[in-house]
Amino acid sequence: MSGTENLIEEHRLIAGVLDAFDAFVDRVERESTHDHHDLVRFVTFFREYADLVHHEKEEGLILPALASAGFDWDTGLLAEVRRDHNQERYLIRSLRHAAMQKERWSREDQRHFASIARTFTEFVRKHVEKEEAILFPALRERVSPEVGSELARRVAQFDARWSEHGELDWLRTLASELIAAHSSPARPGE
């Protein structure tokens, strides 16, 4: 599997969890209580998988390969991707702060959480679209086949390190559980 195929596969998993998170946020907006445990689980997935696994691969492997292929590290696409990742980290911290709130949420707390959550999911979806429309094609076009093969090998090594003690499997299982628990039921005719 190439480096970009691996990242696109991760995007699909993240998208599934974003859909489940949207359903969770819808429920929080409708009801006067929230499932604190599942909110912590969503935040854990986004922090551990989307940031520490997925973004680390991009920032530690993909972006340096593009920089070596002539892209400027400090301006343009590579700087924009890193800024987006930092914005996602900020939003994840904001979601984590809401998840760690011990006292019962007020109506304003619910509204504030929903606003942050909606901003987060919309931002991540736009970021994924940008990577798949601009970043990954640039990688396929600008790096040599030899560098692409080496990159795929390094991506596989990265995953192997995360899999060594079961973290990657645990995060994928967490994603599956969140998706199963918070999937919107199919509407008649769908």
Side-chain angles (χ1 to χ4, degrees):
M1 177 183 305
S2 75
T4 56
E5 288 169 346
N6 176 282
L7 294 168
I8 289 170
E9 185 177 289
E10 290 176 1
H11 281 171
R12 298 299 161 257
L13 182 61
I14 292 166
V17 176
L18 287 172
D19 290 344
F21 190 53
D22 280 338
F24 175 84
V25 174
D26 287 344
R27 199 174 81 240
V28 168
E29 287 182 308
R30 284 190 317 269
E31 300 173 4
S32 60
T33 62
H34 70 284
D35 184 342
H36 176 78
H37 178 69
D38 270 358
L39 177 54
V40 170
R41 289 164 39 103
F42 275 113
V43 170
T44 298
F45 174 81
F46 293 133
R47 189 180 63 206
E48 299 293 318
Y49 189 82
D51 190 29
L52 295 180
V53 173
H54 183 75
H55 290 164
E56 285 297 320
K57 268 187 221 174
E58 290 175 343
E59 293 179 6
L61 301 172
I62 304 300
L63 300 184
L66 284 168
S68 294
F71 281 79
D72 190 305
W73 184 260
D74 296 316
T75 61
L77 180 61
L78 303 188
E80 187 176 336
V81 168
R82 292 192 331 274
R83 276 192 307 272
D84 282 0
H85 289 175
N86 286 333
Q87 178 66 16
E88 286 180 43
R89 288 178 185 114
Y90 167 77
L91 292 167
I92 291 169
R93 283 192 307 272
S94 296
L95 291 170
R96 185 174 187 278
H97 183 264
M100 295 296 118
Q101 182 175 327
K102 297 293 183 211
E103 54 278 350
R104 182 182 169 107
W105 281 3
S106 68
R107 202 62 191 134
E108 178 60 22
D109 292 332
Q110 284 176 278
R111 187 207 58 75
H112 185 248
F113 162 74
S115 175
I116 293 167
R118 299 280 186 229
T119 300
F120 173 75
T121 59
E122 181 180 334
F123 188 87
V124 172
R125 285 184 177 106
K126 286 181 181 176
H127 174 73
V128 165
E129 287 175 15
K130 181 188 319 175
E131 286 185 348
E132 291 186 8
I134 301 169
L135 184 71
F136 298 164
L139 185 67
R140 287 188 289 270
E141 293 167 10
R142 295 284 292 269
V143 301
S144 69
E146 297 78 25
V147 170
S149 294
E150 174 62 15
L151 193 55
R153 186 187 67 74
R154 292 182 68 205
V155 164
Q157 283 180 328
F158 183 99
D159 284 348
R161 283 192 303 274
W162 271 86
S163 294
E164 188 174 24
H165 299 291
E167 289 111 331
L168 203 51
D169 287 339
W170 180 81
L171 289 166
R172 289 178 179 144
T173 299
L174 174 61
S176 296
E177 291 170 357
L178 290 168
I179 291 167
H182 297 282
S183 293
S184 297
R187 295 182 187 132
E190 289 187 339

